[in-house]
């Protein structure tokens, strides 16, 4: 269910602005997204941190609730693995 919240009935230049509830941040494979606030409603501009599991890199360090009621799209992609050979003498 999508909810609309009116935050400024006057608006700018007579325009009304409504912000949509983005809901909880999405779940992602190989990582997780944590909102910066414990709000029950996430509205335009709210941010969430993106953390990936070891060996994965986030395509964005954080995501934002967008004006259309969705979150920025992010994923955790496999990073490069390096093998280091150490000789002990």
């Amino acid at each position: 269910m999508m909810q609309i919240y009116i935050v400024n009935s006057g608006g700018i230049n007579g325009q009304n602005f409504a912000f949509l509830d983005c809901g909880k941040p999405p779940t992602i494979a190989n990582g997780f997204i944590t909102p910066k606030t414990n709000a029950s409603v996430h509205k335009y501009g709210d941010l969430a941190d993106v953390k990936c599991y070891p060996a994965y890199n986030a395509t964005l360090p954080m995501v934002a609730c967008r004006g259309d009621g969705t979150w920025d799209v992010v994923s955790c992609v496999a990073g490069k693995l390096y093998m280091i050979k150490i000789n002990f003498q």
Side-chain angles (χ1 to χ4, degrees), residues 3-83:
Q3 298 176 354
I4 298 176
Y5 297 87
I6 305 298
V7 296
N8 183 348
S9 60
I12 299 172
N13 295 330
Q15 296 177 356
N16 291 331
F17 289 90
F19 292 90
L20 301 175
D21 178 5
C22 285
K24 293 181 182 178
T27 58
I28 56 173
N30 304 309
F32 54 93
I33 301 175
T34 307
K36 290 193 171 276
T37 64
N38 289 330
S40 59
V41 173
H42 296 286
K43 56 189 178 306
Y44 176 74
D46 285 353
L47 299 172
D49 291 317
V50 178
K51 298 293 181 196
C52 296
Y53 299 140
Y56 291 90
N57 299 314
T59 55
L60 294 171
M62 67 179 60
V63 293
C65 174
R66 299 167 15 151
D68 63 359
T70 63
W71 289 93
D72 290 329
V73 176
V74 66
S75 60
C76 291
V77 296
K80 293 181 179 178
L81 297 177
Y82 298 95
M83 181 169 287

